[in-house]
Amino acid sequence: EWISSMLLDSGRFIWVGTNGGSLYRVGQSLKEYSIFTHNPQDSKSITAGDINSILQDRSGIIWVGTKEGLNRFNKDKQSFTRFIHVDRDSTSLSNNYWCSLFEDKSGTLWIGTADGLNRFNKESLNFSRFFPTDQQQGRFINRMLEDNNGCFWYASGTGISMFDPATGSFRNFNESD
């Protein structure tokens, strides 16, 4: 296994995700640690697959994106709530694969997947989906950054793209730009 993502949280714990699906949480003393892995018999365990991203939002919640979905860590119970794609439910995650995580300036959580961008709705615990319309651009959304105008820039399947959350529009950039 190799390290695929890391996070130092506000409690000074180091979170380490691996390509083998193991998630480690290590305290400052290095004697305090936990290992989280997928257990098919336990719906409160982390989803299966590589750990692709780890984020702590401004309210202190730890989010983990794997190749099989999004996970919210429950600190008190030392367990996870899973958010996954459900066929015929347009408010579920648009796709389980990849799950790159980003929190914008307003505190909204965004999830990039292999099939579109998802905005997490905190009150209803579901998602609003956004998809690029340019077929050349592809729908894979990865590693987002926010500019001073509130637009998101990300790596797509064909290069660099921009999403404007105010209008819901996408724009792809290529060599001609």
Side-chain angles (χ1 to χ4, degrees):
E1 287 187 329
W2 48 269
I3 295 172
S4 53
S5 55
M6 293 180 71
L7 169 76
L8 176 62
D9 74 15
S10 59
R12 309 298 292 166
F13 281 93
I14 298 172
W15 294 78
V16 179
T18 70
N19 71 322
S22 297
L23 178 65
Y24 300 86
R25 186 182 67 170
V26 182
Q28 284 184 308
S29 70
L30 302 180
K31 293 179 183 175
E32 184 180 2
Y33 67 92
S34 302
I35 303 170
F36 304 99
T37 57
H38 175 68
N39 177 348
Q41 310 305 316
D42 182 2
S43 64
K44 302 282 185 196
S45 69
I46 196 167
T47 54
D50 300 357
I51 309 291
N52 291 323
S53 54
I54 309 167
L55 177 136
Q56 182 174 33
D57 68 20
R58 57 185 71 178
S59 65
I61 296 172
I62 301 291
W63 296 88
V64 182
T66 75
K67 284 192 174 178
E68 295 293 326
L70 175 66
N71 303 269
R72 182 179 63 195
F73 183 65
N74 181 322
K75 184 179 176 181
D76 295 333
K77 296 182 180 180
Q78 298 289 297
S79 64
F80 293 89
T81 300
R82 298 176 183 173
F83 297 92
I84 59 171
H85 172 76
V86 177
D87 288 338
R88 301 186 212 288
D89 181 355
S90 63
T91 65
S92 72
L93 200 61
S94 64
N95 189 289
N96 290 332
Y97 187 75
W98 190 253
C99 288
S100 66
L101 305 173
F102 170 70
E103 184 178 29
D104 69 17
K105 292 174 189 170
S106 70
T108 301
L109 179 67
W110 294 85
I111 302 91
T113 72
D115 189 21
L117 181 61
N118 298 256
R119 180 183 63 217
F120 182 66
N121 303 312
K122 291 179 186 178
E123 295 77 30
S124 54
L125 301 178
N126 62 17
F127 301 89
S128 297
R129 300 172 174 181
F130 301 88
F131 300 101
T133 54
D134 180 356
Q135 294 302 315
Q136 297 299 318
Q137 181 178 343
R139 290 164 67 142
F140 188 92
I141 297 176
N142 187 20
R143 308 290 185 223
M144 294 168 277
L145 298 171
E146 185 173 10
D147 68 18
N148 291 335
N149 297 320
C151 294
F152 307 157
W153 294 83
Y154 65 93
S156 67
T158 58
I160 296 173
S161 299
M162 182 189 73
F163 172 71
D164 184 346
T167 63
S169 63
F170 290 84
R171 180 170 178 209
N172 194 43
F173 294 88
N174 59 36
E175 297 85 19
S176 66
D177 295 302

